[in-house]
């Protein structure tokens, strides 16, 4: 049985992710981190879901049972946990969040002592310990060897200072009218504080979390109310975060949601113009639009593509010494300022780009027009290795001759194949998608 998915352990709180699972997982993680222990401290944070109380308590019980001291900091963004784990010299950090999922889901993400997400090999080791009941029982402590726990409420200041330091010292947000949608999530205190302290005139939406309204018709997943408010209030720009604030959606002054690839492209050229882009290259995923390639080519910036998932983006960034990358969904990584995607860092860099350009948001982000894409999720009976499907190479070759980019990949959790076609001729893309669907229905359902 596999516990970890693409981003930690996630599932329906109280069912797949119940108190027993969380406690045993914490014990397993504690045993794993013990082998590399320097300070015997583990940091634990969470978003604003009601189930966070249950899971946090279970995690604290599990960690203290195997002898770890626990520092609890309450609701904070996921990137804050990454930063504070290293800043407070902890052996590891744990974030309790299901990110953009509905409130009834929850998840557990792990960071090492340097604030990095765990590699798959590390996750496998924790899984092996989790399923080794004898090892878990043998490592439980007694007497004075049992760990302690304490809650610290003032670490938010450390993270705010860190975030503000990512903003150019010569700039101020004074005169900029900004609408913030904090999704009733982990950024509900931090985001307004950062922007107001830097001088912006702010209007804040969805900043009253009640345990069940996180991501509910708001934030990065539902920017509709943000688009309305930006236009109504004649704001310069709008920012929407998801539940754990590692993701950002931008709305220009006309109330238009900025395309994720346009955001990456403009930020890349902004960094390059200011001598802040290492290797003159960025990393994005296989899902990014070819219009981004064309834009970057004009600016002589190289683009490298990783598998889908921000941790794969970060792995490739490290491998090639690149300091900027992200996903079109809004996970953007400025590795000079953060170990993971950070919506607040991204929002401040967008603000700096806007101020230095002296133009309106719609002008600078309207430079990249995505080519038409068609994305289909197709239910299938079996997942045969794609390279063993007869005729697939010929299909891909035909699409390439028509200047249509294709991407076929299986879902990691369901019997689905995800089909992506992209080209400059929208009608041709739609026509070819019908043919592609028929091909895979026949190949994978017989």
């Amino acid at each position: 049985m596999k516990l970890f998915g693409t981003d930690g352990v996630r599932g329906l709180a109280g069912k797949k992710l119940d108190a027993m699972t969380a406690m045993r997982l914490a014990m397993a993680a504690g045993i794993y981190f013990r082998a590399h222990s320097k300070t015997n401290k583990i940091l634990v944070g969470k978003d604003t879901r009601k189930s966070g109380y249950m899971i946090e308590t279970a995690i604290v019980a599990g960690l203290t049972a195997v002898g770890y001291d626990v520092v609890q900091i309450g609701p904070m963004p996921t990137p804050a946990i990454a930063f504070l784990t290293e800043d407070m010299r902890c052996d590891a950090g744990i974030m309790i969040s299901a990110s953009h999922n509905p409130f009834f889901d929850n998840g557990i993400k792990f960071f090492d002592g340097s604030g990095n997400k765990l590699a798959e090999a590390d996750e496998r080791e924790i899984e092996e310990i989790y399923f080794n009941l004898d090892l878990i029982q043998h490592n439980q402590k007694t007497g004075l060897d049992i760990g302690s726990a304490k809650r610290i409420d003032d670490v938010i200041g450390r993270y705010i200072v860190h975030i503000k330091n990512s903003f150019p010292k010569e700039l101020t947000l004074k005169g900029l009218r900004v609408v913030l949608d904090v999704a009733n999530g982990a950024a509900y205190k931090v985001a307004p504080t950062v922007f107001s302290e830097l001088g912006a005139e702010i209007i804040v939406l969805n900043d009253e979390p009640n345990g069940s309204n996180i991501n509910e018709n708001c934030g990065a997943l539902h920017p509709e109310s943000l688009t309305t408010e930006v236009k109504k209030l004649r704001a310069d720009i709008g920012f929407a975060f998801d539940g754990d604030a590692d993701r950002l959606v931008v709305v220009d002054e006309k109330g238009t949601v900025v395309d994720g690839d346009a955001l990456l492209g403009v930020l890349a050229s902004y960094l390059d113009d200011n001598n802040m882009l290492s290797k003159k290259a960025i990393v994005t995923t296989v899902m990014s639009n070819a219009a981004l390639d064309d834009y970057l080519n004009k600016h002589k910036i190289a683009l490298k593509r990783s598998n889908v998932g921000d941790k794969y983006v970060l792995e490739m960034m490290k491998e090639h010494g690149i300091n900027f990358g992200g996903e079109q969904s809004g996970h953007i990584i400025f590795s000079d300022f953060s170990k993971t995607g950070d919506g607040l860092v991204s929002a401040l860099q967008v603000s700096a780009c806007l101020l230095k350009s002296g133009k309106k948001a719609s002008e600078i982000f309207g430079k990249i027009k995505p080519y038409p894409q068609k994305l289909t999720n197709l239910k299938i009976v079996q997942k045969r290795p794609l390279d063993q499907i007869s005729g697939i190479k010929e299909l891909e070759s035909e699409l390439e001759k028509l200047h249509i980019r294709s991407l076929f990949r299986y879902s990691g959790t369901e019997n689905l194949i995800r089909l992506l076609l992209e080209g400059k001729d929208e009608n041709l893309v739609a026509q070819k998608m019908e043919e592609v669907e028929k091909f895979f229905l026949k190949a994978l359902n017989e």
Side-chain angles (χ1 to χ4, degrees), residues 104-156:
F104 45 74
D105 286 335
N106 217 326
I108 302 173
K109 306 178 187 182
F110 295 94
F111 297 89
D112 66 20
S114 298
N116 298 307
K117 286 185 178 180
L118 299 189
E120 290 181 5
D122 301 316
E123 293 175 343
R124 279 196 297 272
E125 284 193 49
I126 293 174
E127 278 186 354
E128 288 174 8
I129 299 169
Y130 177 93
F131 290 112
N132 189 336
L133 187 57
D134 289 341
L135 184 61
I136 288 178
Q137 289 179 334
H138 177 73
N139 277 274
Q140 291 186 46
K141 307 299 182 183
T142 60
L144 293 177
D145 291 331
I146 295 172
S148 64
K150 64 178 178 180
R151 186 174 294 277
I152 301 178
D153 296 321
D154 60 356
V155 293
I156 189 172

Side-chain angles (χ1 to χ4, degrees), residues 12-61:
L12 180 62
K15 291 293 183 181
K16 180 182 177 182
L17 189 55
D18 59 13
M20 292 297 290
T21 300
M23 183 171 68
R24 188 164 161 177
L25 183 60
M27 288 179 177
I31 294 166
Y32 170 77
F33 288 118
R34 171 76 62 211
H36 317 282
S37 178
K38 293 180 180 178
T39 62
N40 199 52
K41 291 191 303 182
I42 290 183
L43 186 80
V44 177
K46 60 182 179 179
D47 64 21
T48 56
R49 294 163 212 268
K50 187 176 182 182
S51 59
Y53 292 104
M54 171 190 72
I55 295 170
E56 180 184 29
T57 303
I59 286 174
V60 171

Side-chain angles (χ1 to χ4, degrees), residues 287 360 405:
M287 298 296 290
K360 294 184 181 295
R405 188 171 75 91

Side-chain angles (χ1 to χ4, degrees), residues 328-363:
Q328 59 183 177
S329 60
H331 289 112
I332 304 174
I333 303 169
F334 295 86
S335 64
D336 289 347
F337 308 120
S338 181
K339 298 289 181 73
T340 184
D342 191 321
L344 274 166
V345 167
S346 301
L348 289 183
Q349 293 303 311
V350 171
S351 300
C353 174
L354 185 66
L355 291 168
K356 287 194 174 187
S357 74
K359 298 177 181 177
K360 294 184 181 295
S362 60
E363 292 179 72

